Amino acid sequence: MEGKSMKVKRNQRLIYLTNYFVEHPNQLISLSYFADLFDIAKSSLSEDIQFIKEIFQQYNLGVVETIAGVSGGVIYSPQVSKAERQALINEMTELMTDIHRILPGNYIQLNDILQNPSTLIQAAKIIAEYYRHQEIDAIMTIETQGVGLAAAVARYLNIQYVVVRRDSNETSGPTISVNYISGSHQTVRKMELAKNSLQAHSRVLIIDDFMRNGGTVNGLISLLKEFDCQCIGTCVFAENVLKQNTDLPPYESLFKVEIVYNKEEKAFELKVETGTVLA
Amino acid sequence: MEGKSMKVKRNQRLIYLTNYFVEHPNQLISLSYFADLFDIAKSSLSEDIQFIKEIFQQYNLGVVETIAGVSGGVIYSPQVSKAERQALINEMTELMTDIHRILPGNYIQLNDILQNPSTLIQAAKIIAEYYRHQEIDAIMTIETQGVGLAAAVARYLNIQYVVVRRDSNETSGPTISVNYISGSHQTVRKMELAKNSLQAHSRVLIIDDFMRNGGTVNGLISLLKEFDCQCIGTCVFAENVLKQNTDLPPYESLFKVEIVYNKEEKAFELKVETGTVLA
C-alpha cells in the first residue's frame, strides 16, 4: 500500500477494500487500519463494509464478518458457490472417463488433476470453507502430490503448513520420525518432520491428495502424537478406500473414485462420486 | 456465480468485478461475460473496468488490461507494491538472524520460511510479476520444499505446474527419468516425471526454493530436453551459490543467503542480500 492517507471516494474505497479482503483471507483486520488509511470515520467505513458484505453474500463470493470490541475488526473467508462446486464435480467426472488412468495393480493416476491451478484453488477453497469454524493451528501433509493443495488450504485458513518427508536431507535440521505401514506393499517405511516445525499442543488438520487404505494417514497421526499435537481432522481430495481395511482413521473427502467392471462394455472403468465434503 | 442476470448498480458491479479479477489472475475474460451477467451495455462495463484499473494502478494492487477485438477481453495480473517488497525483505533479514539455521556441513535451514502462507504468497506474486510478459506454458519444480511456491506461481500465471520426483510410485504411470549430480554429495541420483505431464515444445519455467550449486537445476534442464521442452528460465526463492562451481545454469533469485564469519563476534552468521528479482 503506497497511497498516502487521503480523502478517497466511496467507489474507490469499495474497490480497495474488496481487493484487500480477497487478498487477506481469514485475517482479522482492525477497522482503525482502514479508517486511518482513508482518513474517514469508522461509521462510514462500517457502511462500506456492510455494503461489500451484502454483495459478497448475494453472489456467494465469501463471508465478511465484523467483530465488535477493542480487539475486533473485519474478517473475510472465501466461499465456493453451488455452481462452482458443480463445475468441479463435472470436471472430475469428465477427467475420470479416461481409462488410461487405471494403472497396473489397480492404482489410479490422479497426479495431473491438482496440477491445474484452477482445480487446485477450487478444491482448496472448498476444504477451507468446510473447516472454517474449527480452531486449527497448522496443516500437515506428506510429500509430494498433496503439497500444492495443503499450501493453498493453509493460505485460505491463514495458518502455516508443514510437509512430512520420507527422507529428510541436509537442510532439514533435527527431525522426529516414525515408521508406518505403506499400504502399497504393506511394508514398513519411515516418515519424518523437522523438529521445529510444530509447537506442542497444536491442533492440526491433515491434508492429502489421495487415500487408499489409510496407512499413510495413520502414520501422520502417530507422528503428530510424537510432537504432542492433536489431529483435528483429515481431508483428502480423493479416496479409493479398499473396503477390507478396518483400521481407517476418521476422514473427509471431496471425491470417491473406484475402479468398477462394466459388464455390458466388458471393460473396467472409473466411477466418481462426491465425498463427505461435497455431498 | 449464482445471481441471475439482473440490473445491478455501479457500486455492486465494481465489487463483483474487483473480486472476479483478483480470483482469476492472468485469465482473459470476455467483456460479453460480464455484460450478459449484469445486463448492461459494453460501454458502461468499459467505464467500470477503466475505473477499477485506475484504482488498482494508484494503489499498486495489480494491472488490469483490456484487449480490443473479437477475441479480446480483460485480464488482471497481480502486483506487489514497493512497501510489500520491503516488508518481505525485512522479514527475511529478521529470520536470518537466527544462527540455529546454520546446520552441520554449512547447510542453511530455510524450510519453515515458505510454510508461512503470507510469505509464500508474496514471493509467488513477485515471481509471477517478474515473468508476466514471457510466454510460459508450464512451471516445473522438484519435490519437496519448492512445491508450494511453484503451485502458487502457477496459479498467478494461470498455467499448470509439474512436480519432478526422486522416486516415483505406483500412482505415477509411465515416467521419463534422467540421472543428475546431487550437489550435496556429488553423487549420481535419479529424477523422474510422469510422461504425460508435459507436451512437447512447451516453454517451461523452473521454480525451486533453494539453489546451492545448480546440480538439481541442471538435472531439471536435462529432463526438459528429454520431454522436447524448452527451459525459459529458472527462479529460486534463495540462492547460496558456492563460488567455485563454474557450471551454473542461468538463474534468478529473490534472495542470496551466505554464511559469513564475523571477526568481531568470533562467530558465524548469516548474510542476506536481495537477488536479481528483488534488486
Side-chain angles (χ1 to χ4, degrees):
Chain A
M1 171 58 217
E2 282 158 333
K4 293 204 182 61
S5 178
M6 66 190 84
K7 276 284 177 203
V8 282
K9 289 183 186 155
R10 181 151 196 241
N11 272 345
Q12 299 179 316
R13 296 198 305 262
L14 293 176
I15 291 171
Y16 186 89
L17 289 167
T18 301
N19 177 291
Y20 198 94
F21 292 157
V22 180
E23 292 284 27
H24 297 81
N26 239 40
Q27 287 181 39
L28 183 69
I29 312 142
S30 146
L31 291 191
S32 311
Y33 172 77
F34 295 122
D36 292 349
L37 178 69
F38 297 134
D39 192 17
I40 56 168
K42 280 195 189 171
S43 56
S44 311
L45 186 64
S46 293
E47 280 173 32
D48 291 351
I49 291 170
Q50 181 60 29
F51 189 74
I52 293 172
K53 183 178 179 166
E54 283 165 19
I55 304 301
F56 272 36
Q57 200 166 14
Q58 184 184 335
Y59 290 101
N60 283 293
L61 304 178
V63 180
V64 176
E65 281 171 298
T66 38
I67 292 151
V70 182
S71 60
V74 56
I75 188 164
Y76 153 83
S77 314
Q79 268 188 318
V80 179
S81 71
K82 269 189 198 164
E84 285 172 321
R85 282 166 197 265
Q86 192 55 51
L88 183 66
I89 294 168
N90 295 348
E91 188 199 343
M92 247 323 250
T93 310
E94 169 68 28
L95 286 167
M96 289 305 120
T97 57
D98 179 1
I99 55 155
H100 296 103
R101 293 187 178 279
I102 303 175
L103 297 174
N106 286 336
Y107 288 93
I108 304 169
Q109 184 173 354
L110 295 169
N111 52 8
D112 57 315
I113 295 171
L114 291 176
Q115 297 186 349
N116 173 333
S118 326
T119 315
L120 177 78
I121 289 298
Q122 291 295 38
K125 275 190 198 168
I126 289 167
I127 296 172
E129 191 178 341
Y130 190 82
Y131 288 97
R132 185 164 82 82
H133 295 293
Q134 297 228 32
E135 192 192 311
I136 308 174
D137 302 306
I139 302 282
M140 174 189 246
T141 192
I142 186 161
E143 57 185 1
T144 295
Q145 301 295 344
V147 177
L149 183 64
V153 174
R155 195 257 159 130
Y156 289 118
L157 290 176
N158 190 31
I159 51 180
Q160 65 154 344
Y161 72 101
V162 298
V163 182
V164 175
R165 304 192 64 159
R166 292 195 176 85
D167 59 333
S168 69
N169 65 10
E170 303 80 1
T171 63
S172 299
T175 63
I176 293 178
S177 75
V178 295
N179 289 328
Y180 71 106
I181 307 287
S182 173
S184 323
H185 316 281
Q186 291 288 307
T187 50
V188 176
R189 292 189 69 176
K190 188 168 124 171
M191 57 166 73
E192 53 189 325
L193 180 62
K195 204 163 171 302
N196 65 353
S197 293
L198 285 172
Q199 292 205 314
H201 314 303
S202 295
R203 294 169 57 86
V204 179
L205 173 63
I206 295 173
I207 298 280
D208 208 355
D209 61 334
F210 195 56
M211 180 150 101
R212 192 174 151 100
N213 56 25
T216 305
V217 171
N218 277 328
L220 291 169
I221 292 171
S222 67
L223 186 56
L224 279 179
K225 284 187 191 132
E226 295 305 318
F227 278 84
D228 287 323
C229 289
Q230 189 188 346
C231 171
I232 65 99
T234 295
C235 185
V236 297
F237 178 72
E239 58 171 297
N240 173 21
V241 173
L242 303 178
K243 304 295 186 291
Q244 63 268 33
N245 191 326
T246 52
D247 188 25
L248 283 173
Y251 67 94
E252 315 293 330
S253 73
L254 273 69
F255 294 103
K256 296 178 193 195
V257 289
E258 210 181 335
I259 301 170
V260 291
Y261 187 70
N262 183 325
K263 280 180 191 164
E264 282 176 30
E265 301 280 339
K266 289 184 180 157
F268 286 98
E269 56 184 38
L270 287 165
K271 195 177 87 178
V272 196
E273 287 176 2
T274 50
T276 45
V277 175
L278 275 174
Chain B
M1 173 54 218
E2 281 157 334
K4 293 206 183 60
S5 177
M6 66 189 83
K7 278 284 178 203
V8 282
K9 289 184 185 153
R10 180 149 197 242
N11 272 345
Q12 298 180 316
R13 297 198 305 263
L14 293 176
I15 291 171
Y16 186 89
L17 288 168
T18 300
N19 177 291
Y20 198 94
F21 292 156
V22 180
E23 291 285 27
H24 297 81
N26 240 40
Q27 285 182 41
L28 183 68
I29 312 141
S30 147
L31 291 191
S32 312
Y33 171 77
F34 295 123
D36 291 350
L37 177 71
F38 297 134
D39 193 16
I40 55 168
K42 280 194 190 171
S43 56
S44 312
L45 187 63
S46 293
E47 281 173 32
D48 293 350
I49 292 170
Q50 182 59 31
F51 189 73
I52 293 172
K53 183 179 178 164
E54 284 165 17
I55 305 301
F56 272 36
Q57 201 165 13
Q58 183 184 335
Y59 290 101
N60 283 293
L61 304 178
V63 180
V64 176
E65 281 172 299
T66 38
I67 292 151
V70 183
S71 61
V74 57
I75 188 165
Y76 153 83
S77 313
Q79 268 187 320
V80 179
S81 70
K82 269 189 199 165
E84 286 171 321
R85 282 167 197 264
Q86 192 54 52
L88 183 67
I89 294 168
N90 295 347
E91 188 198 343
M92 247 323 251
T93 310
E94 168 68 28
L95 286 168
M96 288 307 119
T97 57
D98 179 359
I99 55 153
H100 295 102
R101 294 188 177 278
I102 303 176
L103 297 174
N106 286 337
Y107 289 93
I108 303 169
Q109 184 172 354
L110 296 168
N111 52 7
D112 57 313
I113 295 170
L114 292 176
Q115 298 186 349
N116 173 334
S118 326
T119 315
L120 178 78
I121 289 298
Q122 292 296 38
K125 276 191 197 168
I126 289 167
I127 296 172
E129 191 177 342
Y130 190 82
Y131 288 97
R132 185 164 83 82
H133 295 292
Q134 296 228 31
E135 194 191 310
I136 308 174
D137 301 306
I139 302 282
M140 176 189 244
T141 192
I142 185 160
E143 57 186 3
T144 295
Q145 301 295 345
V147 177
L149 183 64
V153 174
R155 195 257 158 129
Y156 289 118
L157 291 175
N158 190 31
I159 52 180
Q160 65 153 343
Y161 72 101
V162 298
V163 182
V164 175
R165 304 190 64 158
R166 293 196 177 86
D167 60 333
S168 68
N169 64 9
E170 304 81 1
T171 63
S172 299
T175 63
I176 293 178
S177 76
V178 296
N179 289 329
Y180 72 105
I181 306 289
S182 172
S184 323
H185 317 282
Q186 290 287 307
T187 49
V188 176
R189 291 189 69 177
K190 189 167 122 172
M191 58 166 72
E192 54 189 324
L193 181 62
K195 204 163 171 299
N196 66 353
S197 294
L198 285 172
Q199 291 205 315
H201 314 302
S202 295
R203 294 168 56 85
V204 178
L205 173 63
I206 295 173
I207 299 280
D208 208 354
D209 60 334
F210 195 55
M211 181 150 101
R212 191 173 152 102
N213 56 25
T216 306
V217 170
N218 278 326
L220 291 169
I221 292 171
S222 67
L223 185 56
L224 279 179
K225 284 190 190 130
E226 296 305 318
F227 278 85
D228 287 323
C229 289
Q230 190 189 344
C231 171
I232 64 101
T234 295
C235 185
V236 297
F237 178 72
E239 57 170 296
N240 173 22
V241 173
L242 302 178
K243 305 294 185 291
Q244 63 269 34
N245 191 324
T246 52
D247 189 24
L248 283 174
Y251 68 92
E252 316 291 331
S253 73
L254 273 69
F255 293 102
K256 296 179 194 196
V257 288
E258 210 181 334
I259 301 170
V260 291
Y261 187 71
N262 184 324
K263 281 180 192 165
E264 281 177 31
E265 301 280 337
K266 289 186 180 156
F268 286 99
E269 57 184 35
L270 287 166
K271 194 178 86 179
V272 196
E273 287 176 1
T274 51
T276 47
V277 175
L278 275 176

